[in-house]
Amino acid sequence: MALDAPSQLLSRDYTSVWHPYGRDSDHEALLPITHGAGALLFTEDGRAIIDAISSWWVNLHGHAHPALTEAIARQSTLLSQAIFGSCTHEPAVTLAERLLALLPANHQCVFYSDDGSTAVEVALKLAMQYWHNNHTPRTRFLALEGAYHGDTFGAMSVSERGVFTNSFGELLFSVDLLPFPGEPSAEDSCLAALDAALRNEPVAALIVEPLVQGAAGMRMYRPEILDEMIARVRPAGALVIFDEVMTGFGRTGHLFACQQTLHQPDLICLSKGITGGILPLGVTTMTGAIREACRTEDPNKTFFHGHSFTGNALSCACALASLDLLLSPACTAARERITERHAAFLGYLRRNYPTVASRHHGTILAVDFPHEVPTGYIHPLRHYLLREFLSDDILLRPLGNTVYVIPPYCITDEQLYRIYESMKRVLAILSGSAPFTLANKQISA
Ligand SMILES: *Cc1c(COP(=O)(O)O)cnc(C)c1O
């Protein structure tokens, strides 16, 4: 591309494209990307940006990974898409078999969909269908405060109420949101609220993001408390849904967060990293009991759910190639290396910024940057932080004042250190030990 002919991409984009969560003020920080390689995204004007958030938590092995692009190319010469209501094919069946072999033994069946939100919708609808088919209908769901399960109506309903859902509140079904059990004191109130909810009304299912709540700001809680919650839910007959859309495929150090709990869920939602983050695909896995209850001849009990692109062969082939990479010793070593680097950086922060809250679990690191106004997704600091990191050629998308790193596993040590250095630089500014580089008005905007 000729650098002397500035592209019109950004202005053409502004005229005709609407971006996710996009506000007008976000457009000025939009990156015109030509290609990617490893953990880097390259812009039209020749910048190499470190993708420190795996392009919204999806990318596992880097951009344009040859093993994945070859798997897609090879599959595309055979079959890309065949109506899954009438057909089946090798990639979809093999992927189901391989996923089930990695998941808890009680999971015996895979339902395909398109993305994380649809994987959650399928889990919620299967839970309701299960009660409809088996027993007296149950329609009550429990979730955690701060939950994020997607942007469709069912997924929004079981999520925290806030700016994401305010305009739609009247049409969302009501759920019991239990206090988030992040602190020891909150663990007790969470369990007490859980007991009260279970006494109140028959519960169809409890849905959680296991161990790490993503959109709430990478908030973490102990596997022991999750086990205790499940132990109390089970005697009431309620189902348990683990939304592993973010935590799945190695983010927490283990392949899945459910490997860290003793009690296993009845339904698991997967997406994001499933294809290595290259193509969209959603998966909901279920126990044999749910499959038996919902796979019937009775039209009043049939699970009438499907999407045009269910079981897309390209996505499945890509997911199989990604699994090969994920299960390789090199990838396991890379995840351990990232975990160690995060832990060392956390040690540095705790020594030098003892009042700054920070945490990590596996390859996920989060730091709450100092601020003076109450926090939330639309935090004024967010804009400032995003631009500061971009000025260091690092793509981080803070959640409010929480800066988190969730890198592709192929990220190099040198790239990780550049991310940490940039975070240190901005922390020094916000702690008053270095001057502001951008106008103060952006903090209070
Ligand atoms: C991202 C996410 C979703 C929604 O997935 P989409 O693919 O964006 O629809 C659901 N649950 C969790 C935990 C997520 O992180």
Side-chain angles (χ1 to χ4, degrees), residues 103-138:
L103 290 167
N106 63 336
H107 283 247
Q108 294 180 9
C109 186
V110 161
F111 193 98
Y112 287 112
S113 61
D114 298 347
D115 51 52
S117 299
T118 57
V120 168
E121 294 291 338
V122 168
L124 298 175
K125 284 178 71 175
L126 272 174
M128 279 186 72
Q129 185 89 50
Y130 172 85
W131 289 111
H132 172 88
N133 289 7
N134 249 355
H135 309 273
T136 45
R138 296 188 181 193

Side-chain angles (χ1 to χ4, degrees), residues 57 115-118 120 148-151 209 243 245-246 271-272:
W57 325 346
D115 51 52
S117 299
T118 57
V120 168
Y148 176 75
H149 295 292
D151 290 341
E209 295 156 88
D243 176 354
V245 168
M246 189 277 287
S271 186
K272 290 203 166 116

Side-chain angles (χ1 to χ4, degrees), residues 15-34:
T15 308
S16 47
V17 181
W18 195 343
H19 289 262
Y21 305 102
R23 295 183 298 165
D24 246 26
S25 54
D26 295 323
H27 194 266
E28 63 185 78
L30 203 63
L31 299 167
I33 302 298
T34 51

